[in-house]
Amino acid sequence: MNRYAKLLANRVVCLLMLLLLWIPVSSLGQSKPNIILFLVDDMGWQDCSVPFDQTKSPLNQRYHTPNMEKLASQGMKFINAYATPVCTPTRTSILTGMNAAHHGVTNWTSPQRNNNSDNPDTQLQAVDWNINGLSPVPNIPKTVYATPFPKLLADAGYHTIHVGKAHWASMGTPGANPHNMGFQVNIAGHAAGHPQSYLGKDNYGNLPGKTSAQAVPDLEEYFGTDSFLTEALTLEAIKALEQSVKNHQPFFLNMAHYAVHAPIMADKRFVQKYYDQGLDSIEARYASLVEGMDKSLGDIMHWLDQKGIASNTIIMFISDNGGLSLKPQRGGEAHTQNLPLRAGKGSVYEGGIRIPMLVKWPGKVRANSIAKQYVMVEDFFPSILAMAGIKNPKLVQTIDGKSFLSILNNPSLQDSTRSLVWHYPNKWIPNDGPGINYFSAIRQGNWKLVYNQRNGKKELYQLSTDLGELHDLSSQYPDMVNALSKTLSVQLRQWKAHMPIVINTGKLLPFPDEL
Amino acid sequence: MNRYAKLLANRVVCLLMLLLLWIPVSSLGQSKPNIILFLVDDMGWQDCSVPFDQTKSPLNQRYHTPNMEKLASQGMKFINAYATPVCTPTRTSILTGMNAAHHGVTNWTSPQRNNNSDNPDTQLQAVDWNINGLSPVPNIPKTVYATPFPKLLADAGYHTIHVGKAHWASMGTPGANPHNMGFQVNIAGHAAGHPQSYLGKDNYGNLPGKTSAQAVPDLEEYFGTDSFLTEALTLEAIKALEQSVKNHQPFFLNMAHYAVHAPIMADKRFVQKYYDQGLDSIEARYASLVEGMDKSLGDIMHWLDQKGIASNTIIMFISDNGGLSLKPQRGGEAHTQNLPLRAGKGSVYEGGIRIPMLVKWPGKVRANSIAKQYVMVEDFFPSILAMAGIKNPKLVQTIDGKSFLSILNNPSLQDSTRSLVWHYPNKWIPNDGPGINYFSAIRQGNWKLVYNQRNGKKELYQLSTDLGELHDLSSQYPDMVNALSKTLSVQLRQWKAHMPIVINTGKLLPFPDEL
């Protein structure tokens, strides 16, 4: 190189460095994948046409979810994915990476502050759980203080969008507002856990003098129209995503549908064929809610294709707990709505906690693959941070979840030593049901221990041969019962998990290893 | 240059071009100024301690707005700034650059779609104005279709934030949602024109069974707390701005306070001293609303200082119409609340249309300067686009406003040939008031013609000597009356402005030059 060339090269290096300095942090994120968490409310493990069991069940044949089928065919199906028995604990676990027994938001939060949603009990005193939910700022009474991952994503240059149900905290606390969780856009998320109405004609509940805390905010554009809530939310989500694309920003979309939570109202676009099949009316309406939700998934996938960004977008699909199985809210016989699983929402039996889960990540996750390893909702926190390339984030909480990225790379990975824990020291419904009200449970490998806090009864099931939890093996395998009781109790004590107090004696109910 | 140098130079040019392509549009905006439009609702020209007249009036002595004083001392005071007589027409003019007679949203829009907010009249039929407001998409019945400037700012890389009152369109139309106007963040903006309550303790109106269309959305975090609405909106605005700073994005903040619109509720932080002064109770509460609004301005200015971005941030302060002067909503004698100006909100007399206006632009606008040139709300559209460096924007509407940037550069600029037009062919209140219901007006130089559509009466005032519009000079200057009638009528016809129809005859009321 001669002198001129060197001089030129030096100048060019300087210029390049200046240019690099001039590029803001946010724009460096462009090579980062877009991430969509498609979170359905109260959807059961069998509420779709994708079989998550070995065979296609009658329920899989009832429901029509062609877009879930497509998503499954393009990515990985997790057939052992779990949530907590009800919504707020799951949503808090997703946002914090903590197990529910650890974050202490063990039941659903009331929209009203300082209001315990537990049902009263004559025998047991309500535990001191975090009734106001999750708080992204410290020193808010009766909340868990934690760093929600959307904040970290926003800091890393992501355009963070929440659409739909939030339900992370009570009104009058910072967590009631998704903006405080790090979402730059919030559409329709607030302190309520279900919509007052799915109908645009009802203004989604915003009717003067009739409005409850469940009236859906932010959708006035659709008031008085025929837009079903699921459709309105999808349109709004796509609108927000258009902005991400325009800004050349990677996005995180928390597409958190209110569907398929009660009130179980017919989505007119789909309900007729279910009525025509002779289904119970409520079940027909429920199936239409499911199909409307699936249409939303399809519309978003179609939009990604149109924009040419599907290949750089991760889509994760889950529900927040098992399907509702209570009568009369659901049709049919109580606790049969999640068959072959036992019971439903609110229960620590599989019907209450097992959820559908799909992950599409073009170029990373093999199409049509199946993962058998059990995973849990708190795993989304470390997984999403890993997807976004965020290392050593500053957190105020210690997380319990494990990233499932290694499973995405290799679906055959299995770890039967991991234990998953459920702890629900609350009274969800006025009368105890199957696995419902004051239960804990642990899964390790294919073994599952179910612990009834109220009466100390322990049940043991082998899920590989008895998915329906019909055959209690506790008397046959007392050592396994003891081992799981110990693991469960040690973990719960470490997390300072709550146990109900017996009103008459003033004593805590025993941890499972104390019996 | 030898061969190697040439080769190197070529490669470098290629590399640079690639790099430039890789830089997103948004990051190019970093040198662009931040822009804040601080828009107060229903604040009169005298509702502050900054004198907009030659001397400090008794009202200027009543109100305490130290932060407005500070802003005035750092920028330019426009002492002849105008809005339309009521809110939606002004807000639509700001967003579209069109005069109200042109965009046809001549009255305030009802939250309910297809609902004409005009009062019924025995003599005149309601005009076919755009009762559903502004629409950013075509073919929405009874709306004006236009390109709102926040869309253009967002496209140019601005982080566009709306906080507070929107009131651009009715529920069930796209314009009800600020997102559709190009705002990436919307906090508390919807179809309603005032808050149901300013109190966090009232959940800003969101009380089960009591909620009206005016319940303020998006603030559940503050429900049940002592946070006054003005304070909650300020905190939320700053939160959104923090994100702009983090993203290294220039921002546009539409800080559109609900204050000081009715319901005139006391802002507890400030009200006591006004009570102590022996003011009428309603007027004391009103003064506290004003001071709370001023505190918000101060908090935002303080935050800009703290972040070190005040020097690159334009702040513009205005109101959307004159101060309310109706009894019993206001205290004192009716139509004295804007003295020395005549009448108040709803009127084409100066009390209804003259507004406080301040502009701070460090390095561009001289501190403590005063502009005498009359300007109008539709001027904000071209001015803001010019501030953001947006040239030849793609618009579906023809704009009427004129950029005031030349005035910012040179406050002594005066153009007495420009004509400003007001046209309000609507019935705002059940009984006609001074300049209220079915009026038009025009200002050219210091002359102002007031036209009563109902009875054809014309009044002529010389504002330089008669700001209070007390001395009708129409019989002394018939040529001036004719000239202004002609200019006004030609303009109104060009805009296809509406005129009321007489019910008995079925005929349109005459344009002023037809009499």
Side-chain angles (χ1 to χ4, degrees), chain A residues 172 180 190-191 218 220-221 239, chain B residues 172 180 190 218 220-221 239:
Chain A
N180 295 331
H190 62 150
D218 303 329
E220 294 201 350
E221 173 181 356
K239 232 184 255 172
Chain B
N180 296 332
H190 62 150
D218 302 329
E220 293 200 351
E221 171 180 358
K239 230 184 255 171

Side-chain angles (χ1 to χ4, degrees), chain A residues 314-328:
Chain A
I314 301 168
I315 306 178
M316 296 179 283
F317 181 106
I318 50 167
S319 173
D320 66 344
N321 46 246
L324 185 69
S325 65
L326 301 179
K327 277 282 269 188

Side-chain angles (χ1 to χ4, degrees), chain A residues 329-405:
Chain A
Q329 291 95 321
R330 286 291 298 268
E333 196 184 333
H335 305 302
T336 63
Q337 288 80 354
N338 299 294
L339 285 177
L341 305 185
R342 185 168 175 184
K345 181 178 180 182
S347 175
V348 300
Y349 288 128
E350 297 285 304
I353 56 178
R354 200 180 270 244
I355 54 171
M357 174 172 163
L358 302 169
V359 178
K360 176 191 175 188
W361 189 351
K364 295 266 187 179
V365 170
R366 214 181 320 145
N368 248 318
S369 54
I370 294 176
K372 290 185 183 161
Q373 174 60 36
Y374 43 88
V375 293
M376 182 87 172
V377 278
E378 51 259 41
D379 298 345
F380 279 86
F381 186 104
S383 302
I384 289 171
L385 290 186
M387 287 166 175
I390 296 172
K391 283 168 191 157
N392 307 315
K394 270 177 104 176
L395 304 178
V396 298
Q397 74 273 29
T398 310
I399 70 165
D400 308 308
K402 289 179 63 174
S403 164
F404 48 71
L405 259 67

